[in-house]
Each structure stands twice: as C-alpha cells, then as structure tokens.
C-alpha cells in the first residue's frame, strides 16, 4: 500500500515495540504515522542468528501493527528521505541513541532530512535514565557505579507512555523480504508462528518473572544450574521492552526489586560511560599491560580457538562458550568467567573476546558488551581490580555446585574425550600479574 495521506515518520531503531513508545506517539501527533525500519549495511556484520532474530522481531511488530511496518533496504538517511517525500512528512520522530555509531547515524539522517526541509525530532532513549542526565556534585560524569546508582535512584524515570492508536498507522511498501533472513539453524519455519518474538510475549514474560522469579532473584541470579534470571536482555536490546516498563512492574520497596533495578542501572551506567568516553569502545580506559605483554599472535590464535570452541579443558569456561555457540546467549556468571579466562589466563586482549561476543550474542549491545569486557579485564573506569582473577575451578564449585550447567553443555566432561587443561591456572595467574604495568604507570 502506498501512502495517500500526509503522515510523519516513526524511524524504528532499537525501539521495536508499540506500547510505551514516545517516538511512535510523537509521530502520531501529526495525525498519522508511517513506521519505517531502514535495513542498512551494518547488519552485514551481524551473525546469521542475530539477523534472523531481528527479522522475526520485525515480522511480529508488523503483524501487531496491522501490517504497517515498512522495512526498506538502504542507509537510514536514504531510506528516510525517500519515505518522507512519499508521505509528505514534515518530521521524522526517533529515539535518540548515544553510542558512537548511533550518533554518527542520526547526524547523517538529520543532515540529509534538513536538505528536504524535514526535521528529525528525538523523543526518548533506550534507557531509564539517559546518558548525561546525571552528574556528580562537581558537575562531572560519574566514574564509579555505586554513587551513580544512588544518583540514578533519586533521579527516577518517567511513567510508561500510553498506547498508540493503531488505526492511524500508514503502511508503506517494503522492499526487504523478512522471510529470506528469518531462517537460521533449526528455526526454518519461523514466520508462521512468531509467538516467541512478539512484544506481548515479553510483556507476559515480565509479569511471570515478577510474580514467580523476582523474589529469589538476589540469591539465584548467580547460580548457573538454576533458571534464576529474567532473560530480558534480548527484548531490551531490540527495544521490545523499555526498562521504564520493567521498572514500573517491580513491586515498590522490596529488596528483590532493588536488586533487579540495580542491574538495569548498570545498563544505563555503561551507556553513560561510553557516551562520555567514546574511545572506550576500542581502547582500555585504564590499561593494565603494555601492548607487547599480550600473547604473541600464533599462540594466541591457538588458545583463542580452544576458547571459542569450548575446548580449554576448564569445564565452566567450555560450558559457557558452548552455550553461546549453540544458543546465542550465555549466563552472566559464565560471561564473567570466560572473559576473565581469555584475558587473564590466556593473555589475550579483551577486544578480541568482545569482537567474538559481538558476532555471537543475540542480546549484543555495544555499550554493555565493551564496558563489561573492560570491567572483567580490570581496564574500565569502575574496574574490578585487574589483580582479582577468577579461578574457573572454584567459580564452578561455587556457582554450579551440582555440575548441572557443565553437564548440560559439555556432555563428555567426565570421559577421556574431554581435553586436558590448556594452561595451568596458577602459572597463568602469575604470568598475567608479572606482565602487568607497575601501579604508577597505569593511566
Ligand atoms: C563479558 C560480558 C559481556 C556482556 N555483553 C552484554 C551484551 O552485549 N548485551 C547485554 O545486554 N548484556 C551484556 N552483558 C551483561 C549481562 O551478562 C547480560 O545482560 C545478562 O546475562 C542478560 O541476562 P538476563 O536478562 O537474564 O539478566 P538479569 O540478571 O535478569 O538482569 C536484568 C537486566 O539487567 C541488565 N544487566 C544485567 N547484568 C548486567 C551487566 N553486567 N551490565 C549491564 N546490564 C546488565 C540487562 O539488561 C538484563 O537484561 C555482558 C556481560 C559480560 C560479563
């Protein structure tokens, strides 16, 4: 269907939902809104699994929107300029992004639209408290999490926004076939039954988690063999749920609610750090080692392969890496252990691990990934000290005491087929510490 009425555009970014969506509501204020998702080049760097996930999320969104979600190939600037011309839009409404790539993208769109006299209007962000909203008493961005968390809690966030009038959505033609991208691995018939990708499924999942998982969250969130976490990171990464919606669903005044909100505050904190230090996406904020201290290329390649394929001989590391390869996700405790192992036991820079996670994770989020890697490596602003090194064997005893997680992902763990450890942890630990920069030389 081609537009016959004048309509502003809703530029769909990481806000793939209809409920509680200020950008969509702002677009509808013009009378009618045409939702558009530009299917651009950066997707070429995504894994097939993540692209398939995106295709299914968009398919579900389009179904929920009565067909009115256009997916068009091209850069956001080209796609939005053309769509604005088609609908006679005077403005494009979008959620603001704060990552270096997101900022570059929105600047390009703003400039291209301005040539046609169309305004780009920002409404909302993917965060409960957007980057740069809170600063410390001296007016500087927070460097450490705990004071940030206190300021975040007292700053607060908006109440969820209302529901849109879907009858006023305008359907533009799509030129990207989502079916083509939706097939990946075992789920070759996804578009006929996209229930698990729907926004409503995640809203229901949130209610279930609050009713039956939240109370035990503080105790269970670190246990690998127990389903003690919310699994909300993928819908958050795609914007199927806004953190504000989640925070509004948490019962007030309960310790478990605070423990859960604290994790959402980490998400906002990392976005804030990356916004103020865009170089942190690539460079250590506080380097721990000289460049030449890292393992040289050939040894690093061999160790990296063992790590990536889950064949290090350390069952918890291998379980985590196999979970990631098979499912596109990994438990947070395992993420910390495998990341520490790569950097501290294998002496491989965190950036290499972060790049692999970028390709493998469905819930990939640039700020969360890069800054969590820096946290584990001990190179971040709010760093776990670099000399605190996870022992993968004691971590397994503590967080997977009955070995349910390891046995689930490493079936051959107790057989001769399982590899010997590729490093001696005690020796690797000493090697890592001995090659660290002296305290005074750490930036
Ligand atoms: C090396 C490494 C890389 C990571 N990469 C990513 C990533 O690319 N994308 C991503 O969303 N998370 C990332 N995380 C954080 C965390 O592992 C996941 O958010 C979490 O495992 C998701 O599962 P959940 O939704 O069940 O979490 P829950 O424990 O149920 O937490 C609820 C929500 O809080 C937020 N949260 C929880 N822990 C963290 C954290 N450490 N940092 C920031 N936010 C957090 C997430 O949005 C999560 O969905 C990474 C962690 C590490 C150690």
């Amino acid at each position: 269907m081609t537009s016959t009425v004048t309509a502003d555009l809703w530029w769909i970014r990481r806000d793939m939902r209809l409920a509680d969506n200020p950008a969509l509501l702002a677009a509808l204020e013009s009378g009618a809104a045409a939702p558009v998702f530009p299917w651009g080049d950066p997707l070429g760097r995504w894994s097939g699994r993540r692209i398939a996930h995106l295709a299914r999320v968009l398919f579900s969104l389009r179904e929920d929107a009565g067909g009115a979600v256009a997916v068009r190939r091209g850069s956001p600037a080209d796609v939005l300029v053309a769509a604005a011309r088609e609908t006679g839009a005077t403005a494009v409404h979008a959620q603001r992004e704060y990552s270096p790539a997101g900022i570059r993208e929105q600047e390009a769109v703003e400039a291209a639209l301005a040539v046609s006299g169309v305004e780009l209007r920002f409404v909302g962000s993917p965060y409960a408290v957007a980057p740069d909203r809170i600063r410390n008493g001296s007016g500087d961005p927070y460097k450490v999490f705990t004071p940030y968390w206190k300021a975040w809690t007292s700053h607060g966030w908006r109440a969820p926004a209302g529901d849109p009038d879907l009858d006023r959505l305008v359907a533009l033609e799509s030129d990207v076939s989502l079916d083509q991208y939706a097939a990946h691995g075992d789920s070759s018939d996804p578009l006929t039954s996209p229930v698990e990708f729907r926004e409503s499924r995640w809203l229901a999942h949130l209610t279930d988690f609050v009713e039956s998982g939240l109370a035990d969250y503080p105790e269970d969130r670190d246990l690998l063999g127990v389903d003690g976490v919310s699994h909300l990171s993928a819908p958050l990464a795609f914007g199927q749920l806004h953190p504000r919606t989640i925070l509004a669903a948490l019962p007030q005044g309960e310790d478990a609610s605070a423990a859960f909100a604290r994790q959402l505050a980490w998400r906002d904190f990392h976005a804030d750090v990356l916004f103020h230090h865009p170089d942190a996406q690539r460079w250590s904020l506080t380097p721990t080692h000289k460049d030449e201290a890292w393992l040289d290329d050939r040894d690093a390649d061999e160790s990296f392969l063992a790590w990536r394929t889950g064949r290090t001989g350390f069952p918890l590391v291998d379980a985590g890496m196999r979970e990631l390869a098979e499912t596109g996700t990994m438990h947070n405790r395992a993420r910390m252990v495998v990341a520490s192992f790569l950097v501290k036991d294998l002496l491989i820079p965190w950036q290499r691990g972060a790049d692999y996670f970028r390709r493998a994770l469905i819930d990939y989020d640039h700020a969360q990934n890069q800054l969590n890697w820096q946290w584990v490596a001990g190179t971040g602003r709010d760093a776990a000290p670099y000399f605190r090194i996870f022992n993968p064997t004691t971590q397994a005893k503590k967080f997977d005491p009955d070995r349910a997680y390891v046995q689930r992902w490493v079936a051959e763990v107790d057989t001769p087929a399982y590899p010997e450890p590729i490093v001696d942890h005690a020796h690797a630990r000493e090697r890592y510490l001995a090659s660290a920069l002296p305290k005074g030389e750490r930036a």
Side-chain angles (χ1 to χ4, degrees), residues 217 229-233 236 260 263-264 266-267 270 330-332 335-336 339 357 361 363-365 368-369 372-373 376:
Y217 178 79
V229 290
S230 72
H231 305 285
L232 289 173
S233 54
L236 279 166
F260 194 78
Q263 296 312 116
L264 294 173
W266 269 110
R267 184 175 179 271
H270 286 149
M330 195 198 299
H331 192 284
N332 180 59
R335 293 188 206 203
M336 293 197 284
F357 270 33
L361 280 174
D363 71 9
Y364 178 75
D365 172 310
Q368 309 317 322
N369 192 55
N372 268 294
W373 270 93
V376 177

Side-chain angles (χ1 to χ4, degrees), residues 142-145 269 273 277 284-286 371 374-375 378-384 443:
Y142 282 98
K143 290 185 176 157
V144 261
F145 177 72
F269 177 64
V273 173
H277 304 280
S284 296
L285 283 162
T286 316
L371 271 303
Q374 293 230 34
W375 186 87
T379 61
R381 272 282 178 272
D382 186 59

Side-chain angles (χ1 to χ4, degrees), residues 10-302:
W10 166 35
W11 171 17
I12 303 170
R13 306 182 84 189
R14 293 192 302 154
D15 59 340
M16 299 176 203
R17 65 177 182 280
L18 299 174
D20 189 6
N21 191 325
L24 168 59
L25 293 175
L28 282 168
E29 275 171 25
S30 71
V36 180
F37 181 84
W39 188 279
D41 284 344
L43 295 177
R45 294 197 293 274
W46 287 27
S47 68
R49 178 184 277 130
R50 193 143 148 264
I51 290 179
H53 191 94
L54 170 68
R56 291 179 212 147
V57 168
L58 287 170
F59 181 87
S60 305
L61 181 66
R62 183 191 282 156
E63 286 219 322
D64 290 344
V69 166
V71 181
R72 291 188 168 183
R73 192 175 302 280
S75 72
D78 291 348
V79 166
L80 293 165
V81 166
R85 200 172 297 135
E86 244 169 87
T87 65
T90 54
V92 173
H93 304 262
Q95 153 176 290
R96 191 186 285 279
E97 287 288 350
Y98 292 85
S99 67
I103 291 172
R104 266 199 313 280
E105 183 182 74
Q106 65 208 17
E107 284 174 355
V109 167
E110 201 161 25
L113 287 173
V115 174
S116 332
V118 179
E119 202 185 331
L120 176 59
R121 290 193 200 140
F122 292 111
V123 195
S125 79
Y127 308 104
V129 179
D132 209 27
R133 274 282 159 80
I134 45 181
R135 289 181 170 235
N136 67 19
S138 327
D140 296 323
Y142 282 98
K143 290 185 176 157
V144 261
F145 177 72
T146 303
Y148 174 88
W149 153 243
K150 287 191 188 129
W152 183 88
T153 314
S154 40
H155 178 278
W157 38 86
R158 284 167 201 264
D163 289 331
D165 176 359
L166 298 182
D167 292 339
R168 290 192 284 125
L169 292 182
V170 173
L172 300 182
E173 301 267 10
S174 289
D175 63 11
V176 169
S177 151
L178 293 176
D179 301 69
Q180 183 194 328
Y181 292 103
H184 177 80
D186 334 326
S187 4
S188 52
D189 185 24
L191 293 188
T192 51
S193 56
V195 179
E196 62 175 298
F197 298 97
R198 285 202 121 98
E199 179 181 340
S200 53
R201 181 252 167 148
W202 287 115
L203 286 164
H205 177 88
L206 171 62
T207 307
D208 284 353
F209 174 73
V210 169
E211 279 168 10
S212 43
L214 181 65
D216 294 329
Y217 178 79
E219 287 77 45
D220 289 356
R221 59 180 287 265
D222 269 321
L223 295 178
L224 288 150
V226 171
D227 188 11
V229 290
S230 72
H231 305 285
L232 289 173
S233 54
L236 279 166
F238 288 85
Q240 292 182 284
L241 282 180
H242 193 278
R244 182 180 50 226
T245 321
I246 300 175
L247 288 160
L250 302 177
Q252 297 264 315
E254 294 190 8
D255 289 350
S257 297
F260 194 78
R262 192 179 163 91
Q263 296 312 116
L264 294 173
W266 269 110
R267 184 175 179 271
D268 288 5
F269 177 64
H270 286 149
D272 189 69
V273 173
L274 186 62
F275 176 68
H276 290 291
H277 304 280
D279 285 353
Q281 62 178 338
R282 233 27 260 163
W283 305 109
S284 296
L285 283 162
T286 316
T288 56
H289 288 63
K290 287 207 173 87
D291 288 346
E292 58 273 19
W294 302 105
L295 206 60
D296 72 34
D297 282 355
R298 191 175 316 161
D299 288 345
D301 283 349
E302 208 171 292

